[in-house]
Amino acid sequence: MNQADLLEKAPVFQLKGSMLALTILELSSNDLDALAIQLTEKVEQAPQFFQNTPIILALDKCTDDTKPLDLERLLTICREHGLSTMAIRSDRPADLTAAKALNIAVIPPSDARERPLAIAPAAETPAEPSLIPARVITHPVRSGQQIYAKNSDLIVMAAVSAGAELLADGNIHVYGPLRGRALAGINGNREARIFCQQLGAELLSIAGQYKVAEDLRRDPAWGKASQTCLNEEQLEISEL
Amino acid sequence: MSKILVVTSGKGGVGKTTTSAAIGTGLALRGHRTVIVDFDVGLRNLDLIMGCERRVVYDFVNVINGEATLNQALIKDKRIENLYILAASQTRDKDALTLEGVEKIITELAEQFEYVICDSPAGIEKGAHLAMYLADAAIVVTNPEVSSVRDSDRMLGLLSSKSKRAEEGREPVSEHLLLTRYSPERVARGEMLSVEDVEEILSIEMIGVIPESQAVLKASNQGVPVILDEESDAGQAYSDAVDRLLGKEVPHRFLEVQKKGFLQRMFGGKE
């Protein structure tokens, strides 16, 4: 392959500009021992934040000039705590020399506004759905009454009469005879189940799949404590 | 302290008016100042059962509309001290009743009487709703058959959600079940729901079981509350129910099949 061929080839790279949101670790003191301790505490609070997070080390706000900064040790401390240093920000000659020796990029101090980064504690950061307490009914549910537990389970601690209707986005528990209709997982939750102490329901439904009393009556669990769940496209009833 | 008592059922023809008349009379007999109010506007019956149909001048709707005072409309029972009747209007319909009007009159009655008994019309519409709205206690009348039981169940649901006590979040209306037209023979033959069946379905306290009896029809036609027929089983059963309502412990009677005597078996006897 000669020079001409190489020149004729399509460009192998492009230079692009981009604005990236980066975390800046701003040092206010040269005391690296204190930094190590405080970083350890921070990591305990929010472990998932410190997982090879790229950072810029800002040394320009560090006013403590009494003792020279050991840049090599600073980088090691950061690495040990899961922070990967991309560059330092400083204009002090000592830092520039040290950075050059360690092959670390240097960016000049900026006047851009920076705001302190709020690192949420670990317990709050996971995006798990928050718990909605079950709706608990302690009185009998009579014919013509309808009870809906939105986004939660429904627990009835009394009889559910024929002609009554229980609706829940979650599971339905009936600690008494269930003679009315029970529809669980009505928002399409196929994992929802229906539990009752005495199965005598007019209709059972999970995520839209239903069985009426005519079919339920023939089930060996009829009149007994039972649970109902969805298996493939079929309601499966079993004795408890 | 007065008590507003509604006699209701949902289903028609189960014996609400008979029960209102019997319980009201029973309470008056025991010395409690009692008034029975007929809420069945347009289908007035209570006056017939109480035998005061020829003495009705003003009625409930007249009082609501301010055409008569309460004292003008109240009919005093001729047989029993302490017993009054407020008749319904026969020429109007349920729309003649207003919540404000009913509330005003029932409150006024509650000041004068120990027991205000509201005889509810059938159904769950306006008339029945107004009859039970102000109640402190309810007697739910049920026949031992599935449709009546289901309607009673619906009524119990309404009592716990649509009454004034429920709306204000006060102590709920106390519920009593009264089973009427009960026939132990037919239960034994499996043709009728048993007391246990009904109690299990409705799960409320049973205040009385009134046996199916010739005495009830006879009493109705004569305009005498059946509770005054002390010889009859139905009259005695109602009397027991009134005692239980007043907090007495009385064992239930007439639940077992009566053994027929030799002569009765020979000649059939009466069912």
Side-chain angles (χ1 to χ4, degrees), chain A residues 18-79:
Chain A
S18 171
M19 301 282 281
L20 289 173
L22 274 176
T23 308
I24 292 173
L25 191 133
E26 199 176 74
L27 223 56
S28 55
S29 161
N30 281 356
D31 189 350
L32 295 184
D33 295 325
L35 174 74
I37 294 167
Q38 287 174 18
L39 261 181
T40 310
E41 282 171 15
K42 247 321 187 249
V43 173
E44 270 169 20
Q45 279 177 27
Q48 68 273 38
F49 182 79
F50 295 91
Q51 283 169 2
N52 234 355
T53 311
I55 57 152
I56 307 281
L57 266 175
L59 309 173
D60 46 335
K61 301 282 163 62
C62 179
T63 48
D64 185 5
D65 280 329
T66 45
K67 126 178 123 158
L69 180 74
D70 184 352
L71 189 61
E72 196 172 4
R73 180 153 174 246
L74 175 59
L75 294 178
T76 315
I77 292 171
C78 288
R79 208 175 310 116

Side-chain angles (χ1 to χ4, degrees), chain A residues 59-60 69 71 88-100 106:
Chain A
L59 309 173
D60 46 335
L69 180 74
L71 189 61
I88 65 161
R89 194 176 76 187
S90 177
D91 56 357
R92 291 186 301 190
D95 294 337
L96 300 184
T97 325
K100 201 172 178 188
V106 178

Side-chain angles (χ1 to χ4, degrees), chain B residues 28-29 31-34 76-84:
Chain B
L29 276 174
H32 300 284
R33 212 172 135 77
T34 304
K76 191 180 182 310
D77 191 84
K78 278 189 170 170
R79 295 158 296 225
I80 300 144
E81 196 72 10
N82 298 324
L83 183 60
Y84 290 80

Side-chain angles (χ1 to χ4, degrees), chain A residues 142-145 161-162 179 202, chain B residues 150 153-154 157 200 202 204:
Chain A
R142 303 286 184 186
S143 181
Q145 289 183 318
S161 296
R179 302 192 183 100
E202 292 176 323
Chain B
R150 176 176 289 186
D153 192 53
R154 176 93 169 104
E200 201 208 317
L202 295 177
I204 60 170

Side-chain angles (χ1 to χ4, degrees), chain B residues 185-244:
Chain B
E185 291 81 12
R186 299 192 67 186
V187 172
R189 288 203 297 267
E191 297 171 1
M192 193 178 257
L193 293 177
S194 70
V195 173
E196 292 76 28
D197 291 338
V198 179
E199 264 185 321
E200 201 208 317
I201 296 172
L202 295 177
S203 57
I204 60 170
E205 173 228 358
M206 183 79 74
I207 199 177
V209 180
I210 313 300
E212 171 82 73
S213 167
Q214 305 280 344
V216 175
L217 184 66
K218 194 178 95 188
S220 293
N221 286 335
Q222 289 178 343
V224 180
V226 70
I227 199 167
L228 294 174
D229 183 354
E230 285 162 19
E231 301 290 303
S232 70
D233 45 2
Q236 291 171 26
Y238 268 119
S239 190
D240 288 355
V242 174
D243 284 337
R244 285 186 206 107

Side-chain angles (χ1 to χ4, degrees), chain B residues 55-167:
Chain B
R55 292 191 290 137
V56 178
V57 184
Y58 295 111
D59 56 49
F60 196 8
V61 175
N62 291 139
V63 185
I64 286 181
N65 294 343
E67 294 151 7
T69 65
L70 198 49
N71 286 330
Q72 282 176 307
L74 283 174
I75 305 163
K76 191 180 182 310
D77 191 84
K78 278 189 170 170
R79 295 158 296 225
I80 300 144
E81 196 72 10
N82 298 324
L83 183 60
Y84 290 80
I85 289 107
L86 183 58
S89 175
Q90 182 68 358
T91 53
R92 310 292 289 271
D93 59 31
K94 309 290 190 275
D95 292 330
L97 297 175
T98 60
L99 182 59
E100 298 75 39
V102 169
E103 194 156 6
K104 182 172 169 284
I105 292 168
I106 298 296
T107 314
E108 221 171 297
L109 287 173
E111 283 163 15
Q112 290 185 39
F113 291 91
E114 277 179 77
Y115 284 93
V116 180
I117 297 182
C118 304
D119 180 22
S120 170
I124 54 170
E125 286 76 28
K126 195 176 181 187
H129 176 242
L130 289 174
M132 63 91 159
Y133 184 68
L134 297 160
D136 300 310
I139 295 177
V140 178
V141 184
T142 305
N143 284 171
E145 48 124 351
V146 282
S147 60
S148 176
V149 171
R150 176 176 289 186
D151 290 359
S152 295
D153 192 53
R154 176 93 169 104
M155 210 60 224
L156 286 165
L158 292 174
L159 280 165
S160 62
S161 60
K162 294 279 166 61
S163 63
K164 192 177 185 192
R165 276 173 174 267
E167 283 178 5

